[in-house]
Amino acid sequence: MTATTVLAPEQAHARLHELTVIDVRTPGEYASGHLPGAHNIPLDHLDQALSAFRSVADRGDLLVVCASGARSARACERLAEHGITAATLSGGTSAWTQLGHDIHRPAGARAVWAMERQVRLAAGSVVLAGLAAGRQWPRARLLSAGIAGGLVFSALTDTCGMARVLAKLPHNRPRATDLDATLAALAE
């Protein structure tokens, strides 16, 4: 197994011209702004792209990014299991933009909230709904307790089931990633 390298945004910015950047966020998140030259291969399509990743890694360095660095770290671990060396961007695109680095936004793309923000809205709304309904029907408070338990589990395991569900909503998939076209571009 190969080790995963972590690049700080400043390091990645200085080397951007020599890196192949893979963005593992949802198509909606990618469309709302991504590193210049990044290719979108959502995390759930990672296994389909393993041969392309291997080919890219043989030609040069591979940088995997997401919003915060958590999904890209998981992607790098998965790639390492297959002997593919990749780096992850520390702090993800959030840290990148906080430092004032350029983000590419396709023409006509509408901004989509970051997945973390969507999860906070959904979780908070369900908790409030459960508490409000609990005034009339006490068992409805179990809905709030379930969300609280899910959030604790999410923090302990660094996974998020709610984010996986929200990623499938239409606003997070403005247009499906053309995986074949992306893989063909990587093969060049």
Side-chain angles (χ1 to χ4, degrees):
M1 186 185 312
T2 59
T4 300
T5 304
V6 178
L7 291 181
E10 289 301 332
Q11 294 172 306
H13 186 263
R15 297 186 53 209
L16 193 59
H17 64 283
E18 65 188 53
L19 298 169
T20 299
V21 182
I22 305 296
D23 192 320
V24 295
R25 296 177 300 159
T26 65
E29 290 175 293
Y30 174 81
S32 69
H34 54 270
L35 272 66
H39 301 276
N40 185 220
I41 300 179
L43 189 57
D44 58 350
H45 290 60
L46 196 69
D47 288 339
Q48 294 170 273
L50 286 174
S51 62
F53 286 131
R54 191 169 283 109
S55 173
V56 168
D58 287 344
R59 292 191 314 257
D61 292 334
L62 185 60
L63 177 65
V64 183
V65 301
C66 67
S68 67
R71 285 178 279 180
S72 60
R74 281 199 313 272
C76 287
E77 289 170 8
R78 180 80 176 124
L79 293 173
E81 291 171 4
H82 292 276
I84 301 168
T85 302
T88 184
L89 180 64
S90 175
T93 55
S94 297
W96 180 270
T97 56
Q98 285 176 353
L99 292 173
H101 297 312
D102 290 337
I103 288 288
H104 180 258
R105 289 183 176 86
R110 60 188 171 94
V112 174
W113 282 5
M115 189 56 64
E116 180 184 343
R117 185 175 181 192
Q118 291 181 50
V119 167
R120 289 192 314 256
L121 175 68
S125 297
V126 174
V127 167
L128 283 175
L131 291 174
R135 293 176 59 101
Q136 180 71 25
W137 304 284
R139 293 186 131 208
R141 292 185 187 130
L142 292 175
L143 183 61
S144 299
I147 294 298
L151 291 171
V152 169
F153 179 79
S154 174
L156 293 174
T157 62
D158 200 22
T159 62
C160 188
M162 187 177 287
R164 287 188 184 137
V165 171
L166 291 173
K168 299 195 182 308
L169 293 175
H171 67 273
N172 284 322
R173 295 186 174 268
R175 65 176 177 82
T177 297
D178 186 350
L179 188 59
D180 292 332
T182 302
L183 296 178
L186 288 173
E188 295 175 355

